[in-house]
Structures are given as structure tokens and as C-alpha cells.
């Protein structure tokens, strides 16, 4: 294996004391805490081919010693390499193609590391940037929402360590281009930990190397991982493993690493859910995207995170009456919505979270029938905020999207799910599922081996829906995704005529058809140009949208939410 502990130790010793940096200076900058920011021209000018990462994790010091070898190929001429790396680390050595770089030829202000090349790299030429760095990485204040390293202990007192950096980005612990548009072609991980601990990570397992001195290196290799999905997990684990037989004809490992101290029956019961959930996703969306590696889950000291092929699980086997573990199911959704299909910018994050969240009600119906789908949809509807549009139409950072004080926040989950449900009921199952599959794989007929990871935006989904249906649904996307306010269905009744009209946030036409039940008989009002009417005999019982197909403003939910806000205020 390349970059084993022996090589790492030699590099660190040659470079000098890696942990000598003043502890008081080890503060993560505001720049590093932001992710999905615009790439520099130098970053756009290169293709990121390989990140070879050797990381020694030292639980006693809550620190890491690391060497990163990053291979880039120029797509246009470039004379500098630019990557991001947290300034909390002491960089002890930098080299280009094996030649040391003098201190005057590199700088890392605010966490954007710029390294001068010895000459201009022409288009098509490749180079290797080598960085030796060490120090205590940022400690997560509240993982996974406020992320970094989690240094914990298992019930038996052993170290239990995890990383969760979605909101902050990969540069929290390894040098990368901190953008979803800059996934490396491959990441090779060599994770050195105290012997006796296990270090499951992304991709394929390439074996361990016991150095005989109290340290062991765990080797992994992952193709095209989402940058924030590269994860370290270290603890006293027991592995449950089986081969998953896919409905697409291929077979691959399926593993769950849980704490050895766990109740084995609970761990086995959760593991038994793996093939059920996998079959649902393969039947609903398409083949598991990483069948040449593994489907993996690891128990973590934080709640959870969608780390490609090694999803973090910290739900403690809780039951909530749904008939399945919803955290496990949601994080698994991101193998499709997030890792296989990655948003082009954080502004399109609802494609990850909203479509992923819609998989929960769909799975409820898959397992236990329509009642459980409707229950989950009703729960999602009750929590909508509607302060900011789900999609702004401009470039956003993750914090601008996830922070509900300045962006859509949790609405990207629940509102995104409900929008997907309304779209499905509008265009029909066949068109909807074809659109989702095409969005995720870039083709409607995915089979193992015939697709690659893709980047997607909200306009991409609109284009796909329009192409499949032969109609223009710009009004639907504009009315739901680009407006904060939900569409309002106005109703007036004069004599035997019920008249209805739609009002949207921007006042544009919204021709969403509406089902109306009159004394139990359901009919559909076309609502051409956003208006429609039907005859309703006097004294009849009328229910608008009896199947709850259409996401819209509802007075009783507004009253409920206002009461909750008032009650919370009165108890402070």
C-alpha cells in the first residue's frame, strides 16, 4: 500500500515537529466554515484525478498527522494550484512532483491554499501536489448540524471517533477543492489508528497493515465520492456482513459496523432492514449506484450523515411506529439523491433533501400501505415555514440554504417532498418515476455499469419533466419552488356554482387542476388559466382536494402553527 504509516512517519520527522503550532492560533476561519463557494479560475482550470490520503488519527491528542497527494490534470493552462485546507493545521512540507516547494511559493490565507507551479502546466498535462500537515482538527460543536471531528468514547471506554462536515466541507480535515463540482476521480484512504480499533470508510476495502508498534492502517478506495462524503469512522466495531443480491442481477457486499457493546438482537434487526430498503430504492429509482464497491453503514456518536458507501447511523435503534428506521432510510436515499446525482449548487439542495425526504412516505406505502404514506405527508405539511423560496435562482452557499433565518432551511426537506408528491399526482406515476430515474442517472434505462455520477440543477429537472410529458410545467416549478408563499385556492359559492381561482406569490397563472368531492362523488376541475367552476347542488357536502394531492395554503394549518408559536412564547 502507498503512504503507509512508515512512509508517513518518515515524512513528518523529516519535516520537523508537526504539532508545534501555537494552540491559540488554531481557530477555523469563517471562509473555511463556508462550503460550496465559487471556484477560483485555477480550480476551474484543472480536473481532480486522485486524492491519496494518509491520515494517522491520534485519539489521546485529539489530533491527526496526514499526508495528501493530489493529482490534477490541466484542462486549460494554469500556473498555480489552489485547494482549500483549514488553517488550524500546521503545514510542514509541500512538494510538486516530488520537488519541495519553498515557503515563499505557497500561502494559505483564510484556508485557501495557493501553490505556485515551477512552470505553466499545459492543457492535458498532470501534476502531483503533496502536502504534509498536522494538528488538532476542528471539533464539531453539534454534529452533524455544526460539524467537524467528534471525539467520543464507547461504553467500554475505547475511542469512538467520526467526522461529519457537510455544512463546512472537506477542507475541515483534508485538502480539496471545496465544491460539489470538484469531486475527485478517486480517493484512496490509508487510515492509521491504534491497533484494536476498526476504521471503516468509503469505497472498497483493500486490507489492513499491522505495523507491529501499536498502530494499524486500514486501506480503502472510492470512485468519485462527493467531497463532504469522505469520512473517517473509528471505534470498537463488530461487522455484520452479507452479499446483497440485486434485482438488476449484480451482487455486492452489504455491511453494518456497530459497537461491539450493542445489543446483538437490535443490531441484527436493523441489519435485516438493509435488503428491504435497498430493494425499495432499486425498484423505485434504479440500481444501487456503487455496486462495484459496497453498501455500508457505520454506527456513529452523532445522529447521521450520508457518507458515500459508509452512511453514518446514530439513531440508537429507536422505534417510532413507522415500521422502519427512518434515519437509516433517509440517509440511504442520499446514495441516489446526493452521491450519484449531486446538485450543481447548494441552491438546488432540495434535489437531495426534498426528493430524499419523499422516499419516506413512498416507503411507508411500500411497506404498510397508503395510510402510512398519508401520515408522513401530513406530518411534513404541518411543519412548513414558507419564509423563503426553496430555490432562489442564484448561486448560494450551504449555510445560506440550510440556515432557516436567511434561507429555506428545513423546507428543502418537507416542502420539497410535498412538491414532489404534487408533481407525481399531476403528471402520473409513469412520467414521474421516469423523470426521477433520468434525473439521477442521466438516462431512463440504467443498468449496472452503464452510468456515471451526474450533476443536476432544478432547471434540469424541469427540462426532463417537459421532455417526458410533452408539456410545459414551468408554471408548476415557478409557483412552488421559486415562491415562498404557497399557492392560495380562492373559493366563492353563488347559488349552485362553486367558483375557484389560484393566487401565487408572483401573481402568475397557475393552472393546477383540483379534485372536488360533492357528496362523495369526485370530479376534476381543469382550472384553465388558474380558474374553474362546477355545479354544486344546494345542501351538498363539498370537500376540496379530498385525496390531498395539491400542496396549498390551508387556514387550519396556519392557525395551528400560530398557536404553537404563541404557546412557545408564553412558556419562555
Amino acid at each position: 500500500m502507498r503512504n503507509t504509516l512508515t512512509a508517513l512517519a518518515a515524512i513528518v520527522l523529516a519535516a520537523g515537529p508537526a504539532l508545534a503550532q501555537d494552540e491559540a492560533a488554531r481557530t477555523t476561519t469563517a471562509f473555511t466554515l463556508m462550503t460550496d463557494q465559487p471556484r477560483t479560475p485555477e480550480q476551474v482550470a484543472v480536473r481532480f484525478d486522485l486524492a491519496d490520503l494518509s491520515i494517522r488519527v491520534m485519539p489521546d491528542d485529539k489530533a491527526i498527522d496526514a499526508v495528501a497527494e493530489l493529482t490534477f490534470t490541466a484542462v486549460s493552462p494554469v500556473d498555480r494550484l489552489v485547494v482549500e485546507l483549514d488553517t488550524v493545521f500546521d503545514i510542514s512540507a509541500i512538494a510538486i512532483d516530488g520537488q519541495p516547494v519553498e515557503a515563499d511559493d505557497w500561502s494559505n490565507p483564510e484556508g485557501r491554499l495557493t501553490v505556485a507551479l515551477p512552470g505553466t502546466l499545459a492543457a492535458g498535462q498532470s501534476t502531483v501536489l503533496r502536502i504534509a500537515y498536522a494538528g488538532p482538527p476542528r471539533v464539531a460543536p453539534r454534529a452533524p448540524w455544526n460539524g467537524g471531528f467528534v471525539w467520543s468514547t464507547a461504553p467500554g471506554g475505547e475511542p469512538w471517533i467520526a467526522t461529519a462536515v457537510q455544512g463546512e466541507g472537506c477542507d475541515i480535515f483534508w485538502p480539496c477543492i471545496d465544491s460539489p463540482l470538484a469531486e475527485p476521480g478517486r480517493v484512496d484512504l490509508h487510515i492509521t489508528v491504534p491497533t484494536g480499533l476498526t476504521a471503516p470508510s468509503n469505497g472498497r476495502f483493500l486490507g489492513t497493515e499491522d505495523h507491529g508498534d501499536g498502530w494499524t492502517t486500514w486501506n480503502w478506495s472510492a470512485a468519485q465520492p462527493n467531497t463532504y462524503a469522505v469520512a473517517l469512522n473509528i471505534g470498537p466495531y463488530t461487522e455484520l456482513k452479507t452479499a446483497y443480491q440485486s434485482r438488476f442481477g449484480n451482487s455486492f457486499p452489504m455491511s453494518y459496523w456497530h459497537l461491539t457493546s450493542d445489543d446483538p438482537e437490535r443490531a441484527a434487526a436493523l441489519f435485516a432492514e438493509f435488503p428491504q430498503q435497498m430493494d425499495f430504492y432499486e425498484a423505485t429509482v434504479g440500481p444501487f449506484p456503487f455496486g462495484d464497491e459496497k453498501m455500508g453503514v457505520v454506527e456513529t456518536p452523532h445522529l447521521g450523515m450520508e457518507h458515500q458507501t459508509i452512511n453514518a447511523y446514530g439513531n440508537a435503534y429507536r422505534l417510532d411506529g413507522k415500521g422502519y428506521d427512518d434515519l437509516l432510510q433517509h440517509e440511504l436515499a442520499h446514495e441516489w439523491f446526493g452521491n450519484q446525482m449531486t446538485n450543481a449548487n447548494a441552491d438546488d439542495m432540495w434535489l437531495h433533501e426534498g426528493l430524499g425526504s419523499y422516499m419516506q412516505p413512498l416507503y411507508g406505502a411500500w411497506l404498510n400501505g397508503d395510510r402510512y404514506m398519508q401520515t408522513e405527508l401530513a406530518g411534513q405539511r404541518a411543519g412548513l415555514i414558507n419564509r423563503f423560496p426553496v430555490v432562489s435562482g442564484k448561486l448560494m452557499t450551504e449555510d445560506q440554504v440550510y440556515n432557516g433565518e436567511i434561507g429555506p432551511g428545513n423546507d428543502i426537506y418537507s416542502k420539497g417532498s410535498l412538491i414532489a408528491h404534487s408533481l407525481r399526482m399531476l403528471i402520473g406515476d409513469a412520467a414521474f418515476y421516469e423523470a426521477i430515474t433520468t434525473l439521477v442517472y442521466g438516462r431512463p434505462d440504467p443498468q449496472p455499469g452503464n452510468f456515471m455520477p451526474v450533476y443536476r440543477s432544478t432547471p434540469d429537472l424541469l427540462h426532463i419533466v417537459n421532455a417526458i410529458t410533452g408539456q410545459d410545467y414551468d408554471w408548476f416549478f415557478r409557483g412552488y419552488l421559486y415562491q415562498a408563499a404557497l399557492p392560495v385556492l380562492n373559493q366563492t359559492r353563488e347559488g349552485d356554482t362553486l367558483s375557484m381561482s389560484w393566487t401565487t406569490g408572483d401573481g402568475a397563472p397557475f393552472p393546477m387542476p383540483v379534485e372536488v368531492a360533492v357528496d362523495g362523488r369526485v370530479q376534476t376541475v381543469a382550472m384553465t388559466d388558474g380558474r374553474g367552476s362546477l355545479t354544486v347542488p344546494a345542501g351538498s357536502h363539498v370537500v376540496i382536494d379530498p385525496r390531498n394531492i395539491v400542496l396549498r395554503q390551508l387556514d387550519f394549518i396556519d392557525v395551528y402553527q400560530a398557536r404553537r408559536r404563541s404557546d412557545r412564547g408564553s412558556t419562555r
Side-chain angles (χ1 to χ4, degrees):
M1 295 299 167
R2 298 174 60 199
N3 297 334
T4 60
L5 180 63
T6 302
L8 175 60
I11 293 166
V12 173
L13 289 172
L19 300 178
Q21 183 170 309
D22 182 4
E23 291 292 332
R26 297 183 185 277
T27 301
T28 299
T29 67
F31 173 81
T32 295
L33 291 176
M34 301 291 284
T35 188
D36 201 2
Q37 300 182 82
R39 290 176 292 166
T40 69
E42 295 88 350
Q43 291 174 330
V44 174
V46 297
R47 184 183 70 233
F48 195 174
D49 298 320
L50 171 65
D52 190 292
L53 308 176
S54 296
I55 302 174
R56 178 169 59 170
V57 181
M58 299 173 289
D60 290 345
D61 299 322
K62 293 184 170 57
I64 63 174
D65 253 334
V67 173
E69 294 189 352
L70 313 177
T71 302
F72 299 99
T73 298
V75 296
S76 60
V78 63
D79 57 11
R80 300 188 302 174
L81 295 178
V82 178
V83 297
E84 278 79 51
L85 180 63
D86 197 345
T87 56
V88 301
F89 297 113
D90 182 38
I91 298 175
S92 56
I94 294 180
I96 296 289
D97 295 327
Q99 298 302 308
V101 176
E102 299 298 325
D104 291 344
D105 290 329
W106 67 266
S107 63
N108 191 31
E110 301 300 308
R112 177 159 270 170
L113 174 61
T114 301
V115 182
L117 291 168
T120 299
L121 196 67
Q125 290 185 323
S126 297
T127 191
V128 177
L129 170 64
R130 185 168 176 258
I131 305 167
Y133 61 100
R138 167 183 161 89
V139 175
R142 185 172 172 256
W145 302 276
N146 196 342
F149 263 68
V150 181
W151 303 93
S152 183
T153 53
E158 306 93 337
W160 189 19
I161 303 163
T163 58
V165 298
Q166 180 184 24
E168 299 75 21
C170 44
D171 49 337
I172 287 292
F173 71 99
W174 63 280
C176 59
I177 299 176
D178 188 16
S179 166
L181 298 175
E183 293 179 356
R186 191 172 84 250
V187 172
D188 290 340
L189 284 154
H190 315 286
I191 307 164
T192 301
V193 300
T195 299
L197 297 178
T198 302
S201 193
N202 309 86
R204 293 183 296 113
F205 180 48
L206 302 181
T208 61
E209 183 178 356
D210 187 337
H211 303 285
D213 57 359
W215 295 91
T216 297
T217 299
W218 294 70
N219 300 287
W220 302 86
S221 182
Q224 292 185 260
N226 198 320
T227 51
Y228 73 78
V230 174
L232 306 182
N233 305 279
I234 299 155
Y237 290 122
T238 294
E239 181 185 7
L240 298 178
K241 184 175 182 179
T242 190
Y244 175 72
Q245 301 295 329
S246 167
R247 61 172 53 219
F248 288 90
N250 58 325
S251 175
F252 47 86
M254 185 165 58
S255 293
Y256 174 43
W257 286 269
H258 66 87
L259 291 179
T260 301
S261 57
D262 285 354
D263 180 341
E265 291 186 3
R266 292 189 176 188
L270 185 75
F271 190 55
E273 291 192 35
F274 285 25
Q276 290 179 314
Q277 294 188 12
M278 286 287 290
D279 191 48
F280 161 77
Y281 281 114
E282 291 205 319
T284 303
V285 186
F288 180 64
F290 309 107
D292 54 350
E293 296 180 352
K294 71 175 183 303
M295 181 274 197
V297 177
V298 60
E299 189 174 7
T300 55
H302 63 85
L303 184 61
M305 181 59 66
E306 62 271 16
H307 296 146
Q308 188 168 310
T309 71
I310 191 64
N311 282 333
Y313 172 83
N315 204 31
Y317 309 108
R318 281 185 283 266
L319 299 179
D320 54 14
K322 294 180 178 180
Y324 68 97
D325 191 297
D326 63 349
L327 178 74
L328 178 73
Q329 206 268 358
H330 178 80
E331 302 304 346
L332 182 56
H334 286 306
E335 296 286 32
W336 288 263
F337 305 103
N339 295 333
Q340 164 59 29
M341 179 273 295
T342 302
N343 56 239
N345 176 258
D347 193 41
D348 302 299
M349 187 60 74
W350 83 279
L351 296 175
H352 293 195
E353 303 294 8
L355 296 178
S357 293
Y358 188 43
M359 296 299 111
Q360 278 79 76
L362 289 178
Y363 190 57
W366 170 275
L367 279 182
N368 299 308
D370 188 67
R371 172 188 295 177
Y372 293 89
M373 178 180 75
Q374 294 298 340
T375 297
E376 296 224 23
L377 291 171
Q380 293 176 345
R381 176 63 184 88
L384 300 192
I385 304 301
N386 304 313
R387 288 181 59 193
F388 297 93
V390 173
V391 181
S392 71
K394 59 186 180 182
L395 295 179
M396 303 280 277
T397 66
E398 285 210 15
D399 184 64
Q400 290 172 321
V401 173
Y402 277 94
N403 184 341
E405 296 300 316
I406 58 175
N410 285 339
D411 277 0
I412 63 175
Y413 294 81
S414 295
K415 192 172 184 179
S417 171
L418 293 159
I419 290 169
H421 182 66
S422 290
L423 178 63
R424 172 181 156 232
M425 303 307 286
L426 176 65
I427 67 176
D429 281 4
F432 176 80
Y433 288 118
E434 182 180 348
I436 295 303
T437 297
T438 303
L439 179 79
V440 169
Y441 298 97
R443 58 191 302 164
D445 58 344
Q447 295 289 326
N450 75 352
F451 57 85
M452 296 287 288
V454 297
Y455 292 106
R456 292 300 197 191
S457 66
T458 302
D460 289 336
L461 178 57
L462 172 60
H463 175 77
I464 290 168
V465 169
N466 288 348
I468 289 171
T469 61
Q471 300 183 49
D472 186 359
Y473 285 101
D474 178 72
W475 62 267
F476 180 96
F477 280 63
R478 187 184 63 249
Y480 277 129
L481 290 162
Y482 294 92
Q483 316 294 322
L486 290 173
V488 177
L489 184 62
N490 311 292
Q491 306 168 45
T492 60
R493 192 163 174 177
E494 295 183 7
D496 289 347
T497 300
L498 172 64
S499 298
M500 298 180 293
S501 65
W502 284 109
T503 299
T504 60
D506 62 357
F510 190 72
M512 171 68 81
V514 179
E515 289 185 349
V516 180
V518 180
D519 289 332
R521 178 174 172 268
V522 179
Q523 51 190 305
T524 300
V525 181
M527 302 296 289
T528 304
D529 297 325
R531 297 178 178 275
S533 62
L534 75 161
T535 299
V536 177
S540 56
H541 177 63
V542 176
V543 179
I544 305 295
D545 190 26
R547 295 192 294 156
N548 298 292
I549 290 172
V550 182
L551 176 59
R552 60 190 174 102
Q553 182 271 335
L554 294 169
D555 289 341
F556 73 89
I557 290 184
D558 291 349
V559 170
Y560 161 75
Q561 292 180 332
R563 177 71 62 83
R564 288 190 66 193
R565 289 192 295 270
S566 175
D567 290 347
R568 285 197 299 268
S570 65
T571 59
R572 291 175 180 168

